[in-house]
Amino acid sequence: MDLLDNTIRPYAWGSTTAIPKLLGVEPSGEPQAEMWMGAHPGAPSRTARGTLGEVIDADPKAELGEAAVGRFGPRLPFLLKILAAGAPLSLQVHPNLEQAREGYEDEERRGIPIDAPHRNYKDANHKPELICALTEFDGLCGFRDPERTAELLDGLGVDSLKPYVDLLRAHPEEAALREVLTAILSADREEMAHTVAEATAACTRLGGDYAAYADIAHHYPGDPGVIAAMLLNHVRLQPGEALFLGAGIPHAYLNGLGVEIMANSDNVLRCGLTPKHVDVPELLRVVRFEAGDAGVLRPEAAPDGEEVYETPIDEFRLSRYVLPEGTAAHDLTLQTPQILLCTAGTVRVGEYDLAPGRSVFVPAGEKAEVSGAGTVFRATVIV
């Protein structure tokens, strides 16, 4: 197995303290948003044998196993991260596999450069993801019931929001959500900035259910995404709880530290809370206009103390072991590739003692025993 040396990405929304605290190091003063574990070409983990991408490329079947290569090709199909949000991320949605393939092929056919700021599809893959909280973690996930959103908007007392309130109350669910999101994102920017300013003042004054949106507006003054965010469920995860973000589900992470896993893709369609490109027609093609609760996941107990976060995705499977002092060693050997990440205490995996934030890559079929007292997350695939 390989001890991983992982890159920390300094995105502007990152916390300056959460990842350093986990790693037990002094903060640099700069944002530290994500630590990537995997073979993504943008920031592959480093090992004593080269980057993890180079290691896998040299012998995919030995590293990933024949079943995983047959199912997903000669690449690690997931990316594992520690994510530390100190400010809200962009409001966004991800395409399903068919939409990603169609969008990618269309933009390739039209000759749009892969790094063009208005390009939507960087690859032909979908990007389902799962976030598991390590601290209290705030996020937005999926559309709230339109009637409840109408009450929330009406309670602000902002005249320019009244048409949205009427639409939410007058139409069937799907039509109501579609029309209101379309109207928000297509509105005159100057008029919308004025609406957002009024709504922000009201949210700040009222607090309670409005407090999260006041904080979003503080970071993104005048952004139409502030009003779009109010269409969504606000959820606060407790440590160990998770959210699964499937295709078409609008979402945003707001604040907190978590373990995130996703299919290997960079396809993001933004709805707001960003200076980046927002392609409204393509966004409306991808969004699923269905209301419901946020769907908080709690781990399900499996044999040998494993706790599994069940999702409908084969590209990744996330679970954890919480090991009390004196627990016998657990055999974690699988015929699929694994990344094992310590998030608390000290755990021993093979020859390596892992402190919080340290991780190893375990090739398919290689013996992997874990012992010690702490928490270790296991990322693998389903074949």
Side-chain angles (χ1 to χ4, degrees), residues 331-355:
D331 184 0
L332 272 57
T333 307
L334 291 174
Q335 297 306 309
T336 50
Q338 305 180 68
I339 293 178
L340 303 177
L341 164 68
C342 176
T343 59
T346 303
V347 297
R348 186 168 183 83
V349 183
E351 63 182 287
Y352 299 112
D353 290 316
L354 301 184

Side-chain angles (χ1 to χ4, degrees), residues 66-80:
E66 288 195 16
V69 172
R71 176 74 174 81
F72 304 110
R75 62 186 184 90
L76 190 67
F78 64 81
L79 176 63
L80 184 67

Side-chain angles (χ1 to χ4, degrees), residues 48-66:
R49 298 189 284 161
T51 70
L52 188 55
E54 291 168 345
V55 169
I56 291 170
D57 288 345
D59 196 343
K61 288 186 178 180
E63 302 297 332
L64 305 177
E66 288 195 16

Side-chain angles (χ1 to χ4, degrees), residues 303-326:
D304 195 31
E306 186 179 27
E307 299 176 333
V308 182
Y309 294 91
E310 297 285 357
T311 71
I313 296 301
D314 293 340
E315 284 95 334
F316 61 74
R317 176 184 184 271
L318 186 71
S319 62
R320 69 174 185 174
Y321 288 82
V322 180
L323 306 173
E325 188 73 49

Side-chain angles (χ1 to χ4, degrees), residues 158 160 164 186-198 222 224:
V158 176
S160 52
Y164 304 150
S186 304
D188 178 83
R189 293 291 297 217
E190 188 173 331
E191 292 179 6
M192 179 54 71
H194 182 70
T195 296
V196 172
E198 285 192 82

